Structures are given as structure tokens and as C-alpha cells.
Amino acid sequence: MATSSTRRDPLAFVRPDLLQLPGYVGVEPVESIAARLRVPSDRIAKLDGNENPYGPSPRALAALRAFDAYHLYPDPDLRRLRERLAEYTGAPPESIVCGNGSDEIIQLLCTALLRPGEKAIDLPPTFGMYRFETEIAGGVSVPVPRRPDFSLDLDAVARAVDERVKLIFVTHPNNPTGNLLGEDELHALLDLGVLVAVDEAYIEFAGLERSFLPWIRQQPRLIVMRTFSKWAGLAGLRLGYAAMAPDLAAVLYRIRQPYGVNVAAEAAALAALDDRAILMARVAAIVAERERMFAALRAIPFLRPYPSHANFILCDVLRGDALALRDELRAEGVFVRHFDKPGLRDRLRISVGLRRHTDQLIDALGKAGARLGLL
Ligand SMILES: Cc1ncc(COP(=O)(O)O)c(C=O)c1O
């Protein structure tokens, strides 16, 4: 409560727990870094955001060009999109929730589930949004680190579950490590008696047949999240969705921003679902390029890449400083991701781009490695 002496300070009215939070560190736009470093924009390989280098599909672009109803609000119930997603996923429309990116679904889950002090578990190294949204909601984020091979430490997860834990976030395949969640691992998590949100943002690169989405029919405590950002190249339009028990979906629909998914995102997503052949051919090309990039990275003496089922590869930086290497690569126009977080400080995550981006990356690694004395 603000006293008379603090009444003029707007921060005195803010939740004190929020003032302590560090905030989410996203990627700085490449253009601004490139301008600072004076790297010409046509020389940039943007391999730091796990984006799709092919962009949106032709039908999605055509739908956006033809769309003329920007002056109307979106359907708050997103009926058409949910029906199409139901056909696509095999889950009933009433079990599907759409969001402004899957980030919004993570936020909705935290808002719906966590009272102050209640907990969500995540399994680092992993995607930072789970912790971010848990804490914004006033919850407590409980990290249970993975084992050295990035598999789950199920005993430690079981020990971390107490009556205040509502939810476990687990990523399949995981970002940034690229490994899959095993069926046995998911069974073990579901046996713990709390909700389990499986984030399948990259599942198309692993093969849709590996998805756990069909399990929602048997597993009322399972939520499976997906996105159009990666396989469909629509990261900038923001469209995610999730499948879950219909009763839980109804709660998320009641508390979501009614117009959070905009009409352009809806039009592009519907068109992308009609353009799956071309989009999945691009996914296959990215997967082939991932394997070529993996072999090339393995030949670099100061890196150790980990096999990946997603559209990025995590590498140990075996000599020197990973952050310095990232900066040297930037000077060559190659942008990769470093995380200043436990378990990741000596590593870089490199997104898979086009063939020419891989070639530029490998060339830049040679030059940067020579400059830093790593060779
Ligand atoms: C594991 C994971 N989940 C979710 C997202 C966010 O997806 P969206 O763009 O749909 O918000 C990302 C983005 O990088 C991610 O890596």
C-alpha cells in the first residue's frame, strides 16, 4: 500500500514481486545489431531465433494479400480455426485453445492454475517462457535440472512434487537441447498426479508421428501445445494452439483476451493448413540441412554438437569463451544464440537455415576460431 510519502512514485503501486523479476531476454533484432557492427544486411545469417528460413507458405501469403476484413474484430471463439485444427490434429474442437503464439497458452495456463506461491516445475536447460510466465502469475518456478545426457531426472522431479505443484512443463523436442521426451518419461510424469504441459513447438521437425497429442483422449491431465511459428513460418503473426481436456479448454477460453488471435494470423494459419505439402517438404529440407550442418560442426575442433530432432543444434564450446565466439561470429554476419543461464554458458544454440547459411556459418567459425586462437 502506498503511503503519503510514496504516493508520487508510480512504482510504489506495482506488485513488489514483479519489481524483482529480471524479465525475459529475447533476441535483439538483427538489423539493430548489424547496424551497430556495420555488417551489411545481405551478409547476415540469422540463426538465433529458430525461425523458418523459407518464410510463410505461398497460400498463406496469397491469403494475406487477398484478405480485406481488417476492420472487423476476430471471432472470439475462433470457430473455423478450431474446426480446422480439430480435423488436422484429430482432437475435438472443444478441446482446442488458440493463442497469440503458444507463449499466450503458457501464460493462460499459469494464470488459470497458479495462486500466489503455487508452483510449476520446468526441466532446464529449457525454454525460458515457462519460468517467466509462472513468476509473472505470482507462482514459484521450480527447476529440476536434466541429467548430463539431457534426459529427465525423474526421481528428482518426483521429489520436487508437493501439494503446491500444479503443473510440469516439458518440451518435446526440447529447446535448446534438441532431444525428445520418451514415452516412459511422459508416463512417469503423468503418474505424479499433476497437470503436464508438453510443448511440441518443434514436433514437425521430429516427425508428427512422435506427437503425444493423441494421448489427450486417455489422459485428462495432459496438455499438448503447438505453434505455427516454426514449421509454418508464421512466427511474426503469432499463432499457437493447444489440445487438452474440454473442461480445462473452456476455462482457458473464459479467461483469455477475446481478440488475442488477430484476423491476419487466423487467415494465414487456415491457408497454411491447406499448404501442408509444401510446408512439410520445407521441413524435410530443413531436417536434411540439419544433418549436413551437424556433420560440418562435428568437424570443428573446438565444438561438440548434440544430435537434434528440432530445427537447431546445441553445441558445447570446448575451448575459449562461448560468448566471445558468439560475438566474433556476429562480426562475420552470423547470429547464433548464447544463454547466460546455468548449463548453457559454455554452449551455443545454432538454428538451421538454408544451405548457404550453413556454409557461411562454417566459414565464419573458421575465421572466428582463428582470431580467438581456438584452432
Ligand atoms: C519450446 C518453445 N515453445 C514455445 C515457443 C514460442 O512459440 P510461439 O511463437 O508460438 O509463441 C518457442 C519459441 O521459440 C519455443 O522454443
Side-chain angles (χ1 to χ4, degrees):
M1 178 64 96
T3 62
S4 56
S5 61
T6 59
R7 217 173 35 202
R8 291 176 55 80
D9 178 4
L11 294 187
F13 297 86
V14 176
R15 274 168 45 191
D17 60 314
L18 287 189
L19 291 175
Q20 310 298 322
L21 291 184
Y24 183 80
V25 185
V27 275
E28 184 183 347
V30 159
E31 307 79 56
S32 76
I33 308 171
R36 200 168 66 230
L37 297 175
R38 295 180 206 283
V39 180
S41 53
D42 59 352
R43 272 196 41 221
I44 287 174
K46 184 174 177 352
L47 305 178
D48 60 352
N50 298 345
E51 291 140 331
N52 189 320
Y54 293 95
S57 79
R59 283 183 203 219
L61 288 174
L64 290 168
R65 274 195 295 271
F67 192 77
D68 64 357
Y70 290 110
H71 57 300
L72 301 177
Y73 284 105
D75 171 8
D77 291 324
L78 296 161
R79 277 162 270 233
R80 262 179 77 203
L81 185 56
R82 287 165 90 192
E83 259 153 42
R84 289 299 313 283
L85 286 170
E87 281 163 32
Y88 175 51
T89 60
E94 60 277 14
S95 72
I96 293 178
V97 176
C98 299
N100 189 269
S102 40
D103 287 349
E104 191 193 6
I105 307 214
I106 297 168
Q107 180 192 44
L108 286 171
L109 286 170
C110 292
T111 308
L113 303 175
L114 300 173
R115 282 175 293 196
E118 290 185 327
K119 301 177 186 172
I121 290 177
D122 73 2
L123 307 162
T126 194
F127 186 46
M129 201 58 71
Y130 314 131
R131 176 174 181 178
F132 176 76
E133 293 296 354
T134 298
E135 293 182 342
I136 302 265
V140 177
S141 173
V142 179
V144 179
R146 289 163 183 264
R147 294 193 292 217
D149 67 355
F150 304 136
S151 62
L152 306 187
D153 186 344
L154 291 167
D155 292 338
V157 179
R159 283 196 300 277
V161 173
D162 61 22
E163 70 290 347
R164 309 200 90 188
V165 171
K166 293 296 198 66
L167 172 70
I168 301 173
F169 285 109
V170 59
T171 321
H172 171 60
N174 188 37
N175 173 14
T177 58
N179 62 312
L180 298 171
L181 173 68
E183 289 194 11
D184 293 351
E185 289 179 316
L186 182 54
H187 275 302
L189 294 179
L190 287 165
D191 284 348
L192 296 171
V194 297
L195 292 180
V196 178
V198 176
D199 184 344
E200 295 191 346
Y202 301 97
I203 192 66
E204 290 81 4
F205 301 98
L208 272 172
E209 70 284 357
R210 291 196 155 107
S211 171
F212 290 113
L213 199 143
W215 288 28
I216 64 151
R217 286 183 186 270
Q218 280 79 44
Q219 299 282 357
R221 278 183 279 98
L222 175 65
I223 298 142
V224 176
M225 305 185 282
R226 300 242 192 101
T227 179
F228 280 74
S229 292
K230 314 295 179 179
W231 72 286
L234 295 177
L237 276 177
R238 316 299 302 124
L239 186 69
Y241 63 98
M244 65 195 77
D247 290 351
L248 182 59
V251 173
L252 297 200
Y253 262 99
R254 273 210 301 282
I255 64 169
R256 71 185 271 276
Q257 290 270 341
Y259 306 123
V261 172
N262 70 65
V263 290
E266 186 184 10
L270 287 168
L273 288 171
D274 286 336
D275 230 356
R276 293 209 299 274
I278 192 161
L279 284 170
M280 291 312 284
R282 291 173 177 182
V283 165
I286 292 167
V287 167
E289 189 57 25
R290 175 185 77 203
E291 297 314 309
R292 197 177 80 90
M293 182 166 121
F294 180 81
L297 290 170
R298 209 165 38 180
I300 305 244
F302 54 87
L303 292 182
R304 179 169 54 216
Y306 290 92
S308 170
H309 292 273
N311 66 341
F312 51 81
I313 293 179
L314 186 71
C315 295
D316 288 340
V317 177
L318 302 170
R319 296 177 206 157
D321 176 41
L323 194 57
L325 180 59
R326 182 205 70 177
D327 289 343
E328 285 297 328
L329 291 174
R330 282 184 175 183
E332 297 294 327
V334 176
F335 290 71
V336 302
R337 192 88 199 261
H338 177 265
F339 299 91
D340 186 14
K341 287 189 199 169
L344 292 175
R345 294 197 176 91
D346 299 332
R347 293 173 164 153
L348 294 176
R349 189 196 68 192
I350 310 176
S351 308
V352 181
L354 303 173
R355 189 178 181 90
R356 69 180 155 83
H357 297 136
T358 309
D359 293 344
Q360 189 180 344
L361 165 74
I362 300 304
D363 181 58
L365 280 167
K367 290 181 180 147
R371 276 204 298 277
L372 292 171
L374 307 179
L375 290 169

